[in-house]
Amino acid sequence: MANVAVVGAQWGDEGKGKIVDWLSERAHVVVRFQGGHNAGHTLVINNVTYKLSLLPSGVVRPGKLSVIGNGVVVDPWALLSEIDAIVGKGVKITPETLLLADNAALILPVHQVLDAALEEAKGKNKIGTTGRGIGPAYEDKVGRRAIRVCDLADRETLEMRLDQLLFHHNALLRGLGAEEIARAPVLDKLREVAPKILPYAGRVWERLDAERRKGRRILFEGAQGAMLDVDHGTYPFVTSSNTVAGQAAAGSGLGPRALDYVLGITKAYTTRVGSGPFPTEQANDIGERLGARGHEFGTVTGRKRRCGWFDAVMVRQAIRTGGISGIALTKLDVLDGFNEIRVCTGYRLDGQTIDYFPSSVSGQAAVEPVWESLEGWSESTQGARSWAELPATAVKYVRRIEELIGAPVALLSTSPEREDTILVRDPFAD
């Protein structure tokens, strides 16, 4: 049986939640492998809306094992709050249905304080983080001073790790002219939360290996998108983790041989939250229309998303760096009613036409899109569940997208409802 990794192929917010939920019905295990509670998925099931940030999307499906891998940075208080909210909607979550990697790094209150202080100090050069401490937590992990889930079970280790962490962060806070973090309140909070979190903790790498050997289908659920990847994205306007599918192996401990199919989620247009380059952005009536029709507000932050036409250069690059096998094209219905639809097929930079997104900050800021105009359609595509229900010009648009990005459309989503999906190729069948 194939194992599938689902990743964003743009700047996040591509509609991964619905697609993962759609796929999770056929999976046995659903794994989050990177990011933190800065990214959110919205699921609508039987008219009930679930907003998830840390919990894998499979958690709302009975009989599935949900896993938070070692590649995720975990705010234990946010996790417990999310569990309570989902349980309050009638979903059963127990240590038998939710497994948290014991070697996952924790997000502490000091990380959020430092996140806000650093953003404030950057002024006009701020990156536009969510302020949830994700970046500082990943910095601590790489700097080998993080407190991990397993440390909560060892009082002596916990105190030692906390002292090392505060020694570093309080020096930074002093330099920023911000108030330092006192040791005792943080230690008290960690001791209080430990018995609530530890029952979920375990060896994720071992359990996933056992599930794989049993022939269980495993679904790896990514957060954010390829162009927010710390290596391959629009650096420095990126997240603090690797968002490409290769991280599914490192962030779960299962290894790359377990990945059989990589599904890239891609909107039929483009959106971005926060600062950073956006070549196809439409800061005009078209952008406003796309945002209004697509309800483009962040699940976690509520921030309005910037909107623009489809960028085939960016998605093509994401497909190559992410090893994407096929895409799920979402929100096609948002384009209903446009007489003309534009697609970016290349960039102009310094008088030359290029077919890649530059690595340099100056290059990213200077590129200008090369446009191709396609005929729009007046008919509605909302709720379509077969190719026959789509207008001919909509089908032509999808086929042209496939040609430009060099990957087939495996699924086509025509509304937020999970059943409004056209299956072209089953990722689990590979």
Side-chain angles (χ1 to χ4, degrees):
M1 294 185 182
N3 298 322
V4 177
V6 175
V7 294
Q10 294 164 311
W11 276 296
D13 309 309
E14 300 97 348
K16 290 184 290 296
K18 169 193 168 173
I19 301 300
V20 170
D21 173 60
W22 193 89
L23 291 169
S24 69
E25 193 169 42
R26 300 189 57 215
H28 301 100
V29 184
V30 184
V31 185
R32 271 288 309 274
F33 58 85
Q34 51 78 217
H37 63 307
N38 55 337
H41 293 165
T42 299
L43 310 181
V44 181
I45 302 172
N46 297 326
N47 295 319
V48 179
T49 299
Y50 302 93
K51 294 184 181 294
L52 306 176
S53 294
L54 277 169
L55 292 172
S57 296
V59 77
V60 299
R61 295 283 170 191
K64 313 295 180 185
L65 173 63
S66 294
V67 176
I68 300 175
N70 57 275
V72 180
V73 285
V74 179
D75 181 325
W77 300 277
L79 176 58
L80 290 173
S81 176
E82 191 174 327
I83 289 173
D84 288 343
I86 300 303
V87 168
K89 295 193 174 187
V91 177
K92 186 178 180 181
I93 300 178
T94 69
E96 284 68 47
T97 62
L98 176 65
L99 178 62
L100 169 64
D102 60 1
N103 56 339
L106 296 178
I107 300 174
L108 307 182
V110 64
H111 294 128
Q112 294 155 6
V113 171
L114 190 63
D115 204 350
L118 288 169
E119 276 288 272
E120 182 67 24
K122 291 171 184 172
K124 66 178 183 179
N125 295 317
K126 62 178 60 178
I127 294 173
T129 73
T130 60
R132 284 165 167 74
I134 311 299
Y138 271 116
E139 287 183 37
D140 279 346
K141 178 179 178 177
V142 175
R144 300 181 295 277
R145 56 181 171 267
I147 294 175
R148 302 189 298 172
V149 174
C150 55
D151 296 331
L152 295 175
D154 186 333
R155 177 168 180 161
E156 184 177 340
T157 299
L158 179 62
E159 293 189 16
M160 177 188 69
R161 302 301 295 168
L162 180 59
D163 287 340
Q164 292 175 342
L165 185 144
L166 291 180
F167 175 80
H168 176 82
H169 286 304
N170 279 334
L172 287 175
L173 290 170
R174 282 196 302 273
L176 294 169
E179 184 178 353
E180 294 183 34
I181 302 294
R183 176 183 191 268
V186 178
L187 185 58
D188 288 344
K189 286 183 178 180
L190 287 170
R191 287 173 176 167
E192 180 185 9
V193 81
K196 302 174 184 177
I197 287 291
L198 286 172
Y200 297 102
R203 296 182 296 279
V204 160
W205 61 270
E206 184 178 60
R207 179 65 182 274
L208 289 180
D209 181 66
E211 295 293 324
R212 181 184 66 84
R213 292 176 184 277
K214 292 176 185 175
R216 308 285 192 186
R217 290 194 185 105
I218 303 174
L219 183 61
F220 297 89
E221 176 183 3
Q224 293 124 339
M227 298 311 291
L228 290 175
D229 186 278
V230 70
D231 287 306
H232 301 289
T234 50
Y235 191 90
F237 300 98
V238 293
T239 193
S240 300
S241 62
N242 288 110
T243 61
V244 295
Q247 179 62 19
S252 66
L254 191 52
R257 288 189 303 169
L259 300 180
D260 299 301
Y261 191 96
V262 179
L263 182 67
I265 315 300
T266 309
K267 275 178 183 166
Y269 51 102
T270 311
T271 63
R272 176 164 200 169
V273 172
S275 306
F278 187 169
T280 64
E281 182 175 13
Q282 298 297 297
N284 51 30
D285 291 344
I286 291 174
E288 291 294 324
R289 184 177 175 185
L290 289 169
R293 288 180 59 88
H295 306 290
E296 296 297 352
F297 295 91
T299 298
V300 173
T301 64
R303 289 187 294 179
K304 185 178 180 180
R305 297 175 185 140
R306 300 154 62 190
C307 299
W309 294 120
F310 188 86
D311 190 334
V313 182
M314 183 179 73
V315 174
R316 183 170 62 241
Q317 190 159 317
I319 285 169
R320 293 175 180 177
T321 59
I324 292 172
S325 312
I327 68 167
L329 192 66
T330 67
K331 292 197 170 185
L332 181 68
D333 55 301
V334 173
L335 299 180
D336 292 353
F338 280 95
N339 294 323
E340 178 192 40
I341 298 173
R342 304 179 86 186
V343 176
C344 173
T345 60
Y347 298 133
R348 289 191 185 91
L349 179 64
D350 298 329
Q352 302 292 322
T353 299
I354 60 174
D355 62 355
Y356 62 90
F357 202 71
S359 298
S360 69
V361 173
S362 59
Q364 291 176 1
V367 294
E368 297 179 355
V370 176
W371 296 112
E372 178 177 317
S373 294
L374 299 173
E375 182 184 355
W377 54 89
S378 58
E379 306 96 320
S380 173
T381 63
Q382 186 170 12
R385 299 182 182 181
S386 70
W387 287 108
E389 297 177 54
L390 295 176
T393 46
V395 174
K396 185 177 179 180
Y397 177 76
V398 175
R399 294 307 186 199
R400 182 57 178 149
I401 292 299
E402 289 181 316
E403 292 174 357
L404 290 170
I405 65 175
V409 171
L411 295 99
L412 186 64
S413 173
T414 57
S415 94
E417 295 295 330
R418 70 189 304 273
E419 298 304 328
D420 293 340
T421 305
I422 300 172
L423 176 63
V424 183
R425 182 175 183 175
D426 184 356
F428 278 122
D430 278 41

